[in-house]
Amino acid sequence: MASAAKSFTPLLLISSLLVASWFCATEAKSTVPVVQGLSWTFYQSSCPKVESIIRKQLEKVFKKEIGQAAGLLRLHFHDCFVQGCDGSVLLDGSASGPSEQDAPPNLTLRARAFEIIDDLRERIHKECGRVVSCSDILAIAARDSVYLSGGPDYDVPLGRRDGLNFATRNATLDNLPPPFANADTILSSLAAKTFDPTDVVALSGGHTIGISHCSSFTDRLYPTQDPTMDKTFANNLKGICPASDSNSTTVLDIRSPNNFDNKYYVDLMNRQGLFTSDQDLYTNKKTRGIVTSFAANQSLFFEKFVVAMIKMSQLSVLTGKEGEIRASCSVRNSGSSYLESVVEEGFEALSELI
């Protein structure tokens, strides 16, 4: 009897995770309003396989390079927080100036992440024609990065158009809080984008996967150690980054760096958050209770993360006739014909009726 019980345990665990994931998606769809012009079924007619194409390809990518999940998730964050989810971070620089990629907060974005997005774009356009935007591809890829690394699955409202211009260096700096920012600064910055403290703490949980360069946190080690940092943790970091100008990297979550889970919050409770912007979420009384609740309840974290992600993915989106559908994610279209525009608009109009 005992052996039979053991055999059922993995099945029960998998079933409970699937139910929790389904609940997250259903709850989010019922509580997060969809921006006009976006739809849960936008490509149902024009490109019904878009999401399966992305997921199947990312399964292959992550099997070889699980670290790319964090790279794609971060790319989506850095796109949406700066002038909205319009794919502007994907644009290369031009004669008009340097791109968003050249601004300091984006210098450590993974080059491979950009390549993955354009590869997905090529596969999708081959299947469906140029009807799916790079910004939608990035939003779906970010969702799949979460799910395929162990996090919740959820639906993404689609129908974004790609922006025609990238943001300035100053706009990028103003909209991406640095790792040395404290909780009050981050709360204030994101409140301007309609995020409440629970949203902020949930989105910060994206740091449960990924890596960081020493330059983003050595100010907490040198010349004096940040007193809010656990001493053993600090000593280990000094071994990785022996000087303030070290260029090594380390994981953001020491407990499960490649798994999307709630261990990031356990890190914070043990004073093992890597950035000031991480650790201060537990130090600050406005957010401490949220951190504690997420550390104790992974399902709650997943639920709130999905809500916050769907909200973030709709920031200042371009829809309808705004923007364009880029033929290459890194370059604005040139010489698009009237016929191409009519075809794109026809697909979108049809999708919106479904």
Side-chain angles (χ1 to χ4, degrees), residues 47 49-62 68 72 75 112-129 132-134 136-142 144-145 148 327 329:
C47 193
K49 294 183 180 179
V50 58
E51 294 191 59
S52 64
I53 291 171
I54 292 175
R55 179 159 294 187
K56 287 177 181 177
Q57 180 58 21
L58 289 182
E59 285 175 345
K60 296 177 183 177
V61 171
F62 297 159
Q68 298 305 331
L72 290 169
L75 193 58
R112 178 73 177 119
F114 292 92
E115 294 170 1
I116 292 170
I117 293 299
D118 210 50
D119 174 66
L120 292 172
R121 188 271 314 156
E122 185 175 352
R123 292 169 185 274
I124 292 162
H125 288 190
K126 182 178 180 180
E127 171 74 22
C128 305
V132 182
S133 67
C134 294
D136 270 351
I137 292 170
L138 180 53
I140 298 169
D144 285 354
S145 295
L148 294 174
C329 291

Side-chain angles (χ1 to χ4, degrees), residues 36-231:
Q36 185 174 0
L38 299 185
S39 165
W40 299 109
T41 57
F42 191 83
Y43 297 110
Q44 184 172 309
S45 175
S46 62
C47 193
K49 294 183 180 179
V50 58
E51 294 191 59
S52 64
I53 291 171
I54 292 175
R55 179 159 294 187
K56 287 177 181 177
Q57 180 58 21
L58 289 182
E59 285 175 345
K60 296 177 183 177
V61 171
F62 297 159
K63 188 174 182 179
K64 295 179 180 178
E65 308 174 84
I66 186 59
Q68 298 305 331
L72 290 169
L73 180 59
R74 186 170 180 238
L75 193 58
H76 184 46
F77 271 69
H78 283 227
D79 182 40
C80 291
F81 281 140
V82 182
Q83 84 178 21
C85 308
D86 63 350
S88 60
V89 73
L90 303 173
L91 287 170
D92 290 338
S94 67
S96 64
S99 70
E100 289 174 35
Q101 298 170 33
D102 296 312
N106 291 332
L107 293 176
T108 54
L109 291 174
R110 297 190 189 206
R112 178 73 177 119
F114 292 92
E115 294 170 1
I116 292 170
I117 293 299
D118 210 50
D119 174 66
L120 292 172
R121 188 271 314 156
E122 185 175 352
R123 292 169 185 274
I124 292 162
H125 288 190
K126 182 178 180 180
E127 171 74 22
C128 305
R130 181 155 53 93
V131 296
V132 182
S133 67
C134 294
S135 47
D136 270 351
I137 292 170
L138 180 53
I140 298 169
R143 183 274 309 276
D144 285 354
S145 295
V146 169
Y147 174 66
L148 294 174
S149 55
D153 199 3
Y154 56 95
D155 291 327
V156 178
L158 301 170
R160 298 163 191 76
R161 303 271 288 181
D162 295 323
L164 302 178
N165 302 291
F166 43 73
T168 65
R169 173 191 172 100
N170 286 342
T172 304
L173 286 167
D174 290 344
N175 286 279
L176 292 173
F180 53 80
N182 61 30
D184 284 330
T185 297
I186 295 171
L187 289 170
S188 176
S189 175
L190 297 194
K193 302 182 189 296
T194 73
F195 292 110
D196 61 30
T198 298
D199 294 327
V200 173
V201 178
L203 289 175
S204 297
H207 284 174
T208 190
I209 54 176
I211 60 174
S212 170
H213 287 78
C214 294
S215 57
S216 295
F217 59 85
T218 49
D219 61 313
R220 301 185 66 202
L221 301 174
Y222 310 107
T224 56
Q225 183 186 312
D226 183 339
T228 66
M229 183 181 283
D230 174 73
K231 291 183 179 180

Side-chain angles (χ1 to χ4, degrees), residues 146-314:
V146 169
Y147 174 66
L148 294 174
S149 55
D153 199 3
Y154 56 95
D155 291 327
V156 178
L158 301 170
R160 298 163 191 76
R161 303 271 288 181
D162 295 323
L164 302 178
N165 302 291
F166 43 73
T168 65
R169 173 191 172 100
N170 286 342
T172 304
L173 286 167
D174 290 344
N175 286 279
L176 292 173
F180 53 80
N182 61 30
D184 284 330
T185 297
I186 295 171
L187 289 170
S188 176
S189 175
L190 297 194
K193 302 182 189 296
T194 73
F195 292 110
D196 61 30
T198 298
D199 294 327
V200 173
V201 178
L203 289 175
S204 297
H207 284 174
T208 190
I209 54 176
I211 60 174
S212 170
H213 287 78
C214 294
S215 57
S216 295
F217 59 85
T218 49
D219 61 313
R220 301 185 66 202
L221 301 174
Y222 310 107
T224 56
Q225 183 186 312
D226 183 339
T228 66
M229 183 181 283
D230 174 73
K231 291 183 179 180
T232 300
F233 180 58
N235 289 334
N236 290 338
L237 290 177
K238 288 176 181 177
I240 298 168
C241 311
S244 59
D245 60 351
S246 299
N247 195 38
S248 299
T249 60
T250 189
V251 296
L252 293 169
D253 172 6
I254 61 171
R255 284 175 168 76
S256 53
N258 292 321
N259 295 331
F260 195 98
D261 54 26
N262 68 335
K263 296 299 187 292
Y264 161 83
Y265 300 103
V266 177
D267 294 340
L268 302 190
M269 292 184 67
N270 284 279
R271 299 190 295 127
Q272 294 163 338
L274 195 61
F275 304 150
T276 297
S277 58
D278 293 321
Q279 192 58 54
D280 204 49
L281 293 175
Y282 186 64
T283 304
N284 192 297
K285 63 181 180 180
K286 298 174 187 174
T287 49
R288 184 184 182 105
I290 305 170
V291 170
T292 302
S293 65
F294 288 171
N297 188 337
Q298 180 166 280
S299 295
L300 177 64
F301 162 49
F302 282 3
E303 176 189 334
K304 299 303 182 183
F305 179 81
V306 168
V307 169
M309 279 294 288
I310 295 175
K311 287 172 66 174
M312 186 192 78
S313 76
Q314 300 184 85

